[in-house]
Amino acid sequence: MTLVAGLRAASYGIPFQPVAGVHGSELARINGWQILRDPYGSGSEVYVIPAVHPDIAVIHAAEIDEQGNARVYGSPFWDHPLTRAAKRVLVTAEKLVPTDRLREQPELTLVPGFMVEAAAVVPQGAWPGSMHPYYEIDYPAVERYMEDRDGVLEQHLAAAPETAPR
Amino acid sequence: MDWTPFSFIVTHLARQIRPGEITFSGVNSTLPMLACLLAKRAFDFDFTYINVAGGVEPQPVNVPLSSSDPAIVHGSPAIFANQDFYDLCARGGLDLVYLGCAQIDAEGRTNVSAIGSWENPTVRLPGGGGAAVMLPTAKRVVTWRTDHTPRALVDKLDFITASGNMTALVTPMAVFLREAQAGSRFRLEVFNPQTTVEDIVARTGFHFSHEGAAPAMPMTAGEQQALEMLDAGGRFSAAVNG
């Protein structure tokens, strides 16, 4: 939430963003967050979070066209503030689709192509996470990855869709 | 029927919901997710259930193991994604929010940041995920622990991640309540009849009043049916009951 405030500041082009709450949290002390009093006289005191400027945002989309227009189905989670705050945006996507398909429902395009620096079509690219509506979380794969033994990372990487032989 | 740690926690998390409320469950919150789904099935009043996956009044066919799985959006007539529900909370529009804790004190402050000192922790925890904003801005916050130990229920937190409107703490042994106002302390409200108040005192790191504490009301038939349906195959209860 405070991270998102920082991303919002970056996407709005301002140095900091006021945020609700935080009072009574030691996070303010360790992060050096400052308090401002409402300059319009309500008397309320609000924490202000400094802008967070990610160098690169990488998101996984459902569909993308040749111009980089990227469509996401279901919840966008944090894709919107993240792509607006970052200096560069990279997209991976499940499928390449014709631009005419995106024209039919442009409101489903989460990132317009002019913002996207590079993209790759990576089917199953969210594995072992889910990609709505194509596939769900691969819970057994997540459980194997969390086992505490040698070789877990190597086995996980070898099983990933982008490296596994098809 | 005897309580299990799983049935005690989920049922008592659900019993915190009041008619007409807007409730929210977040990440790593499988038990509150089940509590909200149980309340939808077992209680004869309306309330609104929003979850971190963006679901509003979802009708999941298969309840997922993870409370942030997009499967928990299935059947929602709207997507109310992260920016929306955090902003709703910030402007005072969430009535009941479930937030987790590694440590909690008698005033309902939580630590999800570090065990030991912040600078030299013995365990670095995942962090608040919005708790510092949600705990003081939600009207009421409820938390839970699947264990009941003086390590988790402490007199003094190692680090204060969030502070604010915590009103209930549910463990396998007890339900503690406090008012959503500064200085109010948890009091024992309900205890699991399979334990004793003395045992709860011995296993709690903070001092609390237990005047007027009562044994838990048994599960209603509706609660029992709903929980059995949600936990078909026992995959959720196994994770808590061992």
Side-chain angles (χ1 to χ4, degrees):
Chain A
M1 191 65 194
T2 47
L3 171 62
V4 178
L7 292 173
R8 279 179 169 166
S11 64
Y12 296 164
I14 53 178
F16 59 83
Q17 170 68 42
V19 67
V22 186
H23 301 280
S25 168
E26 288 187 274
L27 292 172
R29 173 178 60 81
I30 60 168
N31 288 296
W33 293 332
Q34 302 294 309
I35 284 185
L36 292 186
R37 183 178 288 268
D38 177 2
Y40 296 102
S42 75
S44 62
E45 297 193 324
V46 184
Y47 275 96
V48 287
I49 310 298
V52 174
H53 297 275
D55 292 315
I56 304 172
V58 185
I59 66 160
H60 189 63
E63 298 172 2
I64 197 162
D65 70 2
E66 294 281 0
Q67 278 78 52
N69 296 297
R71 173 183 278 194
V72 169
Y73 296 110
S75 174
F77 288 88
W78 294 119
D79 288 355
H80 206 277
L82 200 56
T83 50
R84 273 58 177 176
K87 293 170 192 154
R88 304 160 65 195
V89 178
L90 308 180
V91 179
T92 58
E94 290 291 321
K95 283 187 197 179
L96 183 67
V97 298
T99 301
D100 279 349
R101 177 174 166 77
L102 301 183
R103 289 188 211 282
E104 288 166 11
Q105 269 188 289
E107 68 276 15
L108 292 179
T109 300
L110 191 124
V111 190
F114 74 84
M115 290 176 62
V116 177
E117 179 173 318
V121 177
V122 186
Q124 305 287 310
W127 181 89
S130 63
M131 190 61 197
H132 180 78
Y134 306 118
Y135 49 91
E136 300 195 340
I137 296 173
D138 184 348
Y139 285 102
V142 175
E143 279 157 21
R144 284 196 297 277
Y145 178 66
M146 289 169 67
E147 286 170 17
D148 185 14
R149 58 177 169 77
D150 286 342
V152 166
L153 179 61
E154 292 74 14
Q155 285 169 22
H156 179 78
L157 293 175
E162 60 269 31
T163 49
R166 267 193 284 271
Chain B
M1 197 171 122
D2 282 350
W3 292 100
T4 65
F6 172 77
S7 67
F8 190 87
I9 296 170
V10 174
T11 304
H12 285 89
L13 288 174
R15 289 177 180 179
Q16 300 305 313
I17 301 168
R18 298 172 187 170
E21 285 192 326
I22 300 179
T23 70
F24 173 80
S25 74
V27 297
N28 199 12
S29 298
T30 302
L31 299 180
M33 169 184 75
L34 292 171
C36 292
L37 296 173
L38 181 152
K40 282 281 172 193
R41 288 162 176 76
F43 299 165
D44 61 356
F45 58 77
D46 284 336
F47 67 98
T48 301
Y49 174 40
I50 299 175
N51 62 56
V52 71
V56 181
E57 301 289 60
Q59 298 174 333
V61 180
N62 297 307
V63 181
L65 283 174
S66 161
S67 62
S68 48
D69 189 320
I72 191 65
V73 180
H74 184 88
S76 293
I79 296 285
F80 202 69
N82 302 48
Q83 297 188 84
D84 267 330
F85 60 70
Y86 276 123
D87 289 348
L88 180 66
C89 189
R91 62 183 182 262
L94 278 181
D95 296 306
L96 175 59
V97 171
Y98 295 95
L99 290 176
C101 66
Q103 287 181 326
I104 182 156
D105 71 8
E107 295 186 30
R109 293 176 291 204
T110 61
N111 174 17
V112 281
S113 297
I115 301 297
S117 72
W118 171 261
E119 291 74 18
N120 271 310
T122 52
V123 183
R124 179 73 75 199
L125 298 168
V133 167
M134 296 187 103
L135 192 51
T137 56
K139 292 208 183 86
R140 294 188 298 127
V141 175
V142 171
T143 194
W144 71 100
R145 289 288 309 175
T146 56
D147 58 350
H148 189 130
T149 67
R151 289 176 62 206
L153 282 57
V154 300
D155 186 48
K156 189 175 182 341
L157 299 171
D158 290 359
F159 184 88
I160 303 170
T161 306
S163 175
N165 299 329
M166 183 67 72
T167 58
L169 160 64
V170 178
T171 77
M173 302 174 77
V175 180
F176 296 93
L177 299 184
R178 69 181 285 278
E179 311 312 318
Q181 51 192 244
S184 176
R185 291 175 63 91
F186 277 130
R187 61 184 184 278
L188 182 66
E189 182 78 9
V190 166
F191 57 91
N192 186 328
Q194 292 149 235
T195 186
T196 62
V197 172
E198 291 67 36
D199 202 12
I200 294 169
V201 170
R203 291 171 63 168
T204 304
F206 54 75
H207 294 285
F208 59 89
S209 162
H210 48 78
E211 204 182 312
M217 301 284 287
M219 280 186 104
T220 65
E223 288 169 339
Q224 205 167 315
Q225 273 172 14
L227 195 60
E228 276 166 16
M229 193 167 76
L230 291 166
D231 186 41
R235 59 204 180 108
F236 292 107
S237 50
V240 177
N241 297 337

